[in-house]
Amino acid sequence: MRTTRLRNAAGLGLLAAVGLVPLGYHLLSLSTMTDPAAILTGAAVPIACSALVVAATVPVARSPLSPAYTLRITGWSALGALTLGAVALLSVTFEMTQGPPPEGPLVVIVGAASIGSAFGLAFGLTDARQQRAQDQVERANAQLTVLNRVLRHNIRNAMTVVSGRVELLAERVDGGGESAAVVAENVDRLLSVSEHARHIGAVIGSEGPDGPDDVEAVVDLVEVVESVIERLGTEHPDAEFDGPAAETCRVRAHPLTEAVASEVIENAAVHSGDGAPRVSVSIRRAGDAVAVRVADDGPGIPEETVETIRRGYETSMRHTDGLGLWLVQWVVDRSDAHLSFESSGEGQVVRIRFERVVETEGVAPRAASERSPRAADPPAADAADAADAPDAAGTDD
């Protein structure tokens, strides 16, 4: 604590010195000046600039910028003084080589340094505020990373133990099957939250292998959707899934696009209407874009939830029930894509529009032997040219 106070005092003292030294010189030289123009340009303006630097030590000392950024502000002010002072020195030297020396060359040089210190002070204050904001963001990200990892680790471990114990209790306790099912459902929900938190950590860049900016990838939407439908068909045998009628369709998107497709399609299956759920997934072109359309016959996503996602933040009165839709929105944002929701009496439609990749080096289309057999699967390039138009291949409802 004492070291911090000493360092802060030293920084403020240096900042005051940047203004006091030229200020004292200008006050002394003022007594020798008689020309009003020389007094204004050679003394009054530099005195005002130097006095401003000295006076700035008080608000700087009381601001949140002190003590961590005091030396940064002082450095910029000193650099401004040295820069303009050096420019004035070169100008005076050049004039002396061309003829008689100018009157009061030292006054000109010190005056320029005083003006430069004021400009440097202004720039230093701006730079210090920006650096403080950046440091706060980095500190918050580091804290969120720790919180994310600790919570995910603890939740997953604890819920795994609880899930195992629930199964044992259900086998040993008569009539406890219903209660065990409720507990197991909530355990699965918490495990899902943990998994969403892991994906969100990768989206915001805190756990990504290449950092927050290197997230662009080339994704085959048809392959992604078919993989998700195949998995969900096993997990939800009562649901009926209609896949896209296309062979391949490559887009620029975040690597976690498969998690987004899984979230949207599974959400449609779980929250579908009474009876056997039916989910229709189609992929259609719209110029240089490609839209993935997921439709179901359920009640739809509540309008309050959609408004919260579009707003970008939650409040105590308006919030979502989990992290799934936030994961979808943030991955869509990082993919430079667009997410839209449509709800009608016939069900819910979620549409995600990506940038289409026409030619991509190093990304070959899937071999015919790897594709799911279909009677008539037109390639994505032959699909309709409008994402909102009815699907020519009949993959929509």
Side-chain angles (χ1 to χ4, degrees), residues 20-34:
L20 282 174
V21 172
L23 178 62
Y25 174 81
H26 292 309
L27 291 175
L28 290 176
S29 61
L30 182 62
S31 59
T32 62
M33 296 181 181
T34 56

Side-chain angles (χ1 to χ4, degrees), residues 5-350:
R5 287 198 297 266
L6 290 175
R7 186 178 60 183
N8 186 38
L12 292 172
L14 289 175
L15 180 61
V18 171
L20 282 174
V21 172
L23 178 62
Y25 174 81
H26 292 309
L27 291 175
L28 290 176
S29 61
L30 182 62
S31 59
T32 62
M33 296 181 181
T34 56
D35 185 10
I39 293 175
L40 177 64
T41 59
V45 173
I47 286 175
C49 292
S50 295
L52 176 64
V53 174
V54 175
T57 57
V58 176
V60 167
R62 296 178 178 178
S63 72
L65 301 176
S66 177
Y69 306 96
T70 303
L71 286 177
R72 194 180 190 91
I73 298 172
T74 301
W76 279 114
S77 182
L79 180 62
L82 291 175
T83 301
L84 283 190
V87 171
L89 175 62
L90 292 175
S91 178
V92 169
T93 302
F94 177 77
E95 291 184 8
M96 293 178 66
T97 60
Q98 299 299 316
E103 183 179 355
L106 191 58
V107 173
V108 175
I109 296 173
V110 179
S114 297
I115 297 174
S117 66
F119 280 104
L121 172 67
F123 190 87
L125 289 171
T126 302
D127 178 66
R129 292 191 184 98
Q130 292 177 346
Q131 185 62 43
R132 179 173 179 266
Q134 181 179 345
D135 291 344
Q136 288 177 331
V137 170
E138 292 177 354
R139 191 181 306 113
N141 284 339
Q143 293 169 346
L144 287 175
T145 299
V146 173
L147 180 63
N148 181 25
R149 289 178 176 172
V150 170
L151 286 180
R152 282 196 295 107
H153 178 77
N154 291 347
I155 288 175
R156 177 165 293 277
N157 288 348
M159 289 302 101
T160 301
V161 173
V162 171
S163 179
R165 296 295 181 179
V166 167
E167 293 179 3
L168 292 176
L169 290 175
E171 295 174 357
R172 297 179 180 180
V173 178
D174 294 335
E178 183 178 353
S179 297
V182 174
V183 174
E185 180 182 353
N186 284 274
V187 167
D188 291 339
R189 186 176 301 173
L190 285 175
L191 289 175
S192 177
V193 170
S194 175
E195 187 68 11
H196 286 150
R198 182 178 70 86
H199 286 152
I200 289 172
V203 172
I204 64 177
S206 60
E207 298 179 5
D210 299 319
D213 297 326
D214 191 11
V215 296
E216 188 179 87
V218 176
V219 178
D220 187 342
L221 282 182
V222 176
E223 182 177 348
V224 166
V225 170
E226 288 182 346
S227 175
V228 170
I229 289 178
E230 181 179 358
R231 176 177 59 82
L232 293 179
T234 303
E235 298 177 0
H236 304 276
D238 296 335
E240 179 182 351
F241 296 94
D242 296 330
E247 292 185 351
T248 182
C249 183
R250 296 188 295 272
V251 299
R252 298 193 187 279
H254 193 279
L256 284 175
T257 299
E258 182 170 354
V260 168
S262 177
E263 178 66 29
V264 174
I265 297 174
E266 184 171 18
N267 185 72
V270 171
H271 298 91
S272 190
D274 297 334
R278 184 183 180 189
V279 180
S280 177
V281 185
S282 61
I283 299 176
R284 288 294 176 264
R285 286 179 52 186
D288 294 333
V290 171
V292 180
R293 182 178 183 272
V294 180
D296 62 65
D297 54 358
I301 302 174
E303 185 62 28
E304 292 183 356
T305 299
V306 174
E307 291 179 359
T308 300
I309 296 298
R310 288 172 177 168
R311 186 173 59 243
Y313 62 91
E314 295 188 354
T315 65
S316 59
M317 300 299 294
R318 294 290 183 91
H319 56 82
T320 62
D321 293 332
L323 296 176
L325 287 178
W326 285 118
L327 172 63
V328 172
Q329 180 64 66
W330 292 337
V331 171
V332 166
D333 289 342
R334 296 300 294 273
S335 302
D336 197 20
H338 176 71
L339 173 66
S340 63
F341 301 91
E342 300 173 14
S343 183
S344 64
E346 299 179 355
Q348 173 77 47
V349 175
V350 178

